[in-house]
Coordinates of all heavy atoms in Angstrom, one line a residue:
P1 N -16.5 -12.8 -22.2 CA -15.3 -13.1 -23.0 C -14.5 -11.9 -23.1 O -14.9 -10.8 -23.2 CB -15.9 -13.5 -24.3 CG -17.3 -12.9 -24.4 CD -17.8 -13.0 -23.0
A2 N -13.2 -12.2 -23.1 CA -12.2 -11.0 -23.2 C -12.3 -10.4 -24.6 O -12.5 -11.1 -25.6 CB -10.8 -11.6 -23.0
A3 N -12.2 -9.1 -24.6 CA -12.3 -8.4 -25.9 C -11.0 -8.6 -26.7 O -9.9 -8.8 -26.2 CB -12.4 -6.9 -25.6
S4 N -11.2 -8.6 -28.0 CA -10.1 -8.7 -28.9 C -9.1 -7.5 -28.8 O -9.6 -6.4 -28.6 CB -10.6 -8.8 -30.4 OG -9.5 -8.7 -31.3
P5 N -7.8 -7.8 -28.8 CA -6.9 -6.6 -28.6 C -7.0 -5.6 -29.8 O -6.6 -4.5 -29.7 CB -5.5 -7.3 -28.6 CG -5.7 -8.6 -29.3 CD -7.1 -9.0 -28.9
D6 N -7.6 -6.0 -30.9 CA -7.8 -5.1 -32.0 C -9.0 -4.2 -31.9 O -9.2 -3.3 -32.7 CB -7.8 -5.9 -33.3 CG -6.5 -6.7 -33.6 OD1 -5.5 -6.2 -33.1 OD2 -6.6 -7.7 -34.2
V7 N -9.9 -4.5 -31.0 CA -11.1 -3.8 -30.8 C -10.9 -2.7 -29.8 O -10.5 -2.9 -28.7 CB -12.3 -4.7 -30.3 CG1 -13.5 -3.9 -30.1 CG2 -12.5 -5.8 -31.4
V8 N -11.2 -1.4 -30.2 CA -11.1 -0.3 -29.3 C -12.2 -0.4 -28.3 O -13.4 -0.5 -28.6 CB -11.2 1.0 -30.1 CG1 -11.1 2.2 -29.1 CG2 -10.1 1.1 -31.1
P9 N -11.9 -0.4 -26.9 CA -13.0 -0.5 -25.9 C -13.9 0.7 -26.0 O -13.5 1.8 -26.3 CB -12.2 -0.6 -24.6 CG -10.9 0.1 -24.9 CD -10.6 -0.2 -26.4
T10 N -15.2 0.5 -25.6 CA -16.1 1.6 -25.6 C -16.8 1.6 -24.2 O -16.6 0.6 -23.4 CB -17.2 1.4 -26.6 OG1 -17.9 0.1 -26.4 CG2 -16.6 1.4 -28.0
L11 N -17.5 2.6 -23.9 CA -18.2 2.8 -22.7 C -19.7 3.1 -23.0 O -20.0 3.5 -24.1 CB -17.7 3.9 -21.8 CG -16.2 3.8 -21.3 CD1 -15.7 5.1 -20.8 CD2 -16.1 2.7 -20.3
P12 N -20.6 2.8 -22.1 CA -22.0 3.1 -22.4 C -22.3 4.6 -22.5 O -21.5 5.4 -22.0 CB -22.8 2.4 -21.2 CG -21.8 2.4 -20.1 CD -20.5 2.2 -20.8
L13 N -23.4 4.9 -23.2 CA -23.8 6.3 -23.4 C -23.9 7.0 -22.1 O -23.6 8.2 -22.0 CB -25.1 6.3 -24.2 CG -25.5 7.7 -24.6 CD1 -24.5 8.4 -25.5 CD2 -26.9 7.6 -25.4
V14 N -24.4 6.4 -21.1 CA -24.6 7.0 -19.8 C -23.3 7.6 -19.2 O -23.3 8.6 -18.5 CB -25.3 6.1 -18.8 CG1 -24.4 4.9 -18.4 CG2 -25.7 6.8 -17.5
A15 N -22.2 6.9 -19.5 CA -20.9 7.4 -19.1 C -20.5 8.7 -19.7 O -20.0 9.6 -19.1 CB -19.8 6.4 -19.4
A16 N -20.9 8.9 -21.0 CA -20.6 10.1 -21.7 C -21.5 11.2 -21.2 O -21.0 12.4 -21.0 CB -20.8 9.9 -23.2
V17 N -22.8 11.0 -21.0 CA -23.7 12.0 -20.5 C -23.3 12.4 -19.1 O -23.3 13.6 -18.8 CB -25.1 11.5 -20.5 CG1 -26.1 12.5 -19.9 CG2 -25.6 11.2 -22.0
G18 N -22.9 11.4 -18.3 CA -22.5 11.8 -16.9 C -21.2 12.6 -16.9 O -21.1 13.5 -16.1
A19 N -20.3 12.3 -17.8 CA -19.0 13.1 -17.8 C -19.3 14.5 -18.1 O -18.7 15.4 -17.5 CB -18.1 12.4 -18.9
I20 N -20.2 14.8 -19.1 CA -20.5 16.2 -19.4 C -21.2 16.9 -18.3 O -20.9 18.0 -17.9 CB -21.3 16.2 -20.7 CG1 -20.5 15.7 -21.9 CG2 -21.8 17.7 -21.0 CD1 -21.3 15.6 -23.2
G21 N -22.1 16.2 -17.7 CA -22.9 16.7 -16.5 C -22.0 17.0 -15.4 O -22.1 18.1 -14.7
V22 N -21.1 16.1 -15.0 CA -20.2 16.3 -13.9 C -19.2 17.5 -14.2 O -19.0 18.3 -13.3 CB -19.4 15.0 -13.6 CG1 -18.3 15.3 -12.6 CG2 -20.3 13.9 -13.1
L23 N -18.7 17.6 -15.4 CA -17.8 18.7 -15.7 C -18.5 20.0 -15.6 O -18.0 21.0 -15.1 CB -17.2 18.4 -17.1 CG -16.2 19.5 -17.5 CD1 -15.0 19.6 -16.6 CD2 -15.7 19.3 -19.0
S24 N -19.7 20.1 -16.2 CA -20.5 21.3 -16.2 C -20.8 21.8 -14.8 O -20.5 22.9 -14.4 CB -21.8 21.1 -17.0 OG -21.5 20.7 -18.3
G25 N -21.3 20.9 -14.0 CA -21.6 21.2 -12.6 C -20.4 21.6 -11.8 O -20.5 22.6 -11.0
S26 N -19.3 20.9 -11.9 CA -18.1 21.3 -11.1 C -17.5 22.6 -11.5 O -17.1 23.3 -10.6 CB -17.1 20.1 -11.2 OG -16.7 20.0 -12.5

């Protein structure tokens, strides 16, 4: 189902961990 326009979209925790790891390594 489509998310309500009033709900701020989120990403899974693995996306956050991966973002920090990729930035650190690069």
Side-chain angles (χ1 to χ4, degrees):
S4 170
D6 297 330
V7 178
V8 177
T10 60
L11 296 169
L13 184 61
V14 64
V17 176
I20 296 176
V22 169
L23 180 62
S24 302
S26 62

